Amino acid sequence: MTIGTNSECDVKQAMQSIEGALSRWNRKEAEAIHGMPFNDLLFLAQTIHRQNFDRNRVQLSRLLSIKTGGCPEDCGYCSQSTHYETGLKASKLMEVERVIAEAMKARDAGATRYCMGAAWRSPKERDMGSVVAMIEGVKALGMETCMTLGMLDLSQAQRLKAAGLDYYNHNIDTSERYYGEVVSTRTFADRLETLGHVREVGMKVCCGGIVGMGEEKADRIDMLVTLANLPEPPESVPINMLIPIEGTPLAEAEPIDPIDFVRTIALARIMMPKSYVRLSAGRTAMSDETQALCFFAGANSIFVGDMLLTADNPGEDKDNRLFRRLGIEPMPREAR
C-alpha cells in the first residue's frame, strides 16, 4: 500500500489504497494516514465508519472494579499498584451476588456490555470459582461479558471461555519501544502471550492502550500498528487518555493535545474498520467538542457511570445531554 503525505494524499487515493492493502500494516503507511490534513483524515475515518457501523449509535458499557488495589505490578499510570503511595486501600474480591446486582442496575440503565476488572497480576485458583459464577450470573441477565484480570495461562482462558465470557480485556498500553518506560514487572511479550491464549480458546479480544504518558507520536502509531497486525484485530479497541494520579510516576505527564488524541481515534478506526473503538478513560477532562470529534472520527463505544475502576467518569446525565445535542442514540444489543 502506498499513501502520500499531507497534500500529496487525497481521501479518494487513501481509500483506494486501504481497500487494496494487504492485511499487514507498517508504520510508514499508518504515519502517512495519521499526517493527513485533519479534515481529510476525519472524512476518511467517518467514511470507513459508515461502511461498518450505524453512524449515530454508540455502544454503552459499564465497568466495575470487582477487586480494587493491592496489585504487585508497577504500571506507572495506575493508582492500584502497591509500588506507589496513592491513598488507595486494597479490597477483597467482591461477592458474586453484589456483582450481579450491580450488573442488573447497569442493564436497566441501558448498558449492553458489563466489564469486570480485578487488580491482579493474574487470577489465583482460589478466586476462579467466584469469577466463573460472576460471568454466568451476568450472562443470565442477557448482557455481554468482559473481564480484565491480568495475565492468563491457557487453562485459565479455557475456564473463562467455558463459563461464557465473551471478551477478555488485556491492553498493550503503548508501543513496544516505549513499554519499558511505563512497566517493568511484565514484558510486552507477556501481554501478547495472554492475548494469544484468549484467541486460542475462541474468546473475543478487547485490547487498546493509553495515550498521554509522555510517549511520542510514533509510539501511538506503533501501538495501533501492533493491534491491527495481530492474527485478528481486537473486536474492541479502548483508547484511554491518561488520568494523572498523584503518587504515580506519571502524575506530572504533559497532557496530549486534543487534536492529536482525535487523530489517534481516527487512525484506529481506519486501521481496524470492523472493531468497536471505545472512548475510554479521560473523558472527564475532554470538552463536549473533543468528544464530538472523537465520535465523528469513529469512536462508537463508551463506558457509562460515575466511576471507571477508581477514577471519575462523566455521569449518565452528562452523557445523555451530550447524546441529545449530537443526535446519538445508545446501541441496542440486537444491533451489535
Side-chain angles (χ1 to χ4, degrees):
M1 175 167 57
T2 302
I3 298 176
T5 58
N6 295 332
S7 61
E8 299 175 3
C9 178
D10 61 21
V11 173
K12 183 177 180 180
Q13 176 191 352
M15 180 67 79
Q16 290 172 343
S17 297
I18 292 168
E19 289 174 350
L22 298 175
S23 60
R24 294 191 64 80
W25 290 79
N26 61 52
R27 189 207 290 171
K28 182 179 180 181
E29 296 162 348
E31 196 169 38
I33 293 174
H34 183 276
M36 291 173 68
F38 191 65
N39 285 346
D40 291 345
L41 176 65
L42 263 61
F43 182 77
L44 177 59
Q46 177 63 198
T47 299
I48 290 174
H49 182 68
R50 287 173 179 239
Q51 292 174 348
N52 295 280
F53 292 97
D54 187 318
R55 60 194 178 277
N56 290 315
R57 288 192 182 272
V58 170
Q59 179 200 61
L60 305 184
S61 300
R62 183 75 69 119
L63 176 61
L64 176 69
S65 178
I66 60 173
K67 195 280 176 188
T68 303
C71 183
E73 304 284 13
D74 70 348
C75 306
Y77 51 80
C78 188
S79 64
Q80 304 194 65
S81 172
T82 57
H83 293 258
Y84 316 122
E85 294 293 334
T86 64
L88 185 72
K89 293 184 178 180
S91 69
K92 294 181 179 180
L93 183 65
M94 193 178 289
E95 298 85 357
V96 173
E97 295 76 12
R98 185 181 168 195
V99 171
I100 296 172
E102 293 295 326
M104 188 177 298
K105 293 177 187 177
R107 181 199 63 184
D108 294 345
T112 58
R113 183 183 300 176
Y114 202 65
C115 307
M116 295 160 274
W120 289 328
R121 177 176 171 83
S122 59
K124 294 182 173 61
E125 178 59 32
R126 67 171 184 258
D127 296 314
M128 287 297 289
S130 294
V131 167
V132 165
M134 291 175 190
I135 296 167
E136 293 172 342
V138 175
K139 288 283 286 185
L141 298 176
M143 303 181 77
E144 280 190 329
T145 52
C146 179
M147 281 196 160
T148 177
L149 311 171
M151 295 186 292
L152 297 178
D153 61 31
L154 184 58
S155 64
Q156 290 170 328
Q158 289 168 335
R159 288 187 67 181
L160 297 178
K161 171 63 177 176
L165 188 63
D166 296 298
Y167 285 81
Y168 193 77
N169 168 254
H170 198 62
N171 293 335
I172 60 172
D173 287 347
T174 187
S175 70
E176 185 172 11
R177 183 201 73 85
Y178 194 66
Y179 184 86
E181 301 296 319
V182 180
V183 186
S184 70
T185 49
R186 56 179 158 180
T187 67
F188 196 78
D190 289 334
R191 302 261 181 179
L192 297 180
E193 182 179 48
T194 289
L195 295 176
H197 293 326
V198 171
R199 277 295 185 212
E200 186 174 344
V201 302
M203 281 190 291
K204 295 178 181 178
V205 169
C206 176
C207 184
I210 307 170
V211 299
M213 298 192 296
E215 76 284 347
E216 299 176 1
K217 176 185 71 174
D219 294 306
R220 296 192 286 274
I221 293 171
D222 283 347
M223 176 184 74
L224 295 179
V225 169
T226 296
L227 294 174
N229 284 344
L230 290 172
E232 292 179 65
E235 285 84 357
S236 182
V237 182
I239 303 296
N240 299 273
M241 180 185 286
L242 177 70
I243 300 176
I245 304 294
E246 186 176 352
T248 65
L250 293 175
E252 303 299 325
E254 184 176 349
I256 185 174
D257 176 79
I259 297 299
D260 288 339
F261 184 81
V262 176
R263 284 186 179 274
T264 304
I265 294 287
L267 186 60
R269 167 53 63 220
I270 292 166
M271 295 177 68
M272 293 169 279
K274 297 185 182 299
S275 302
Y276 284 87
V277 177
R278 179 177 296 137
L279 190 58
S280 297
R283 289 200 298 121
T284 54
M286 298 179 199
S287 67
D288 284 355
E289 292 78 11
T290 297
Q291 292 187 70
L293 284 172
C294 287
F295 293 133
F296 188 73
N300 64 336
S301 179
I302 63 169
F303 283 118
V304 294
D306 296 327
M307 291 295 295
L308 198 60
L309 291 180
T310 63
D312 290 337
N313 195 51
E316 290 175 51
D317 288 345
K318 185 173 182 180
D319 285 334
N320 288 338
R321 288 195 298 271
L322 178 59
F323 276 22
R324 285 195 297 270
R325 291 176 66 195
L326 300 179
I328 288 176
E329 296 180 357
M331 188 178 295
R333 179 174 174 80
E334 58 269 19
R336 288 178 288 110

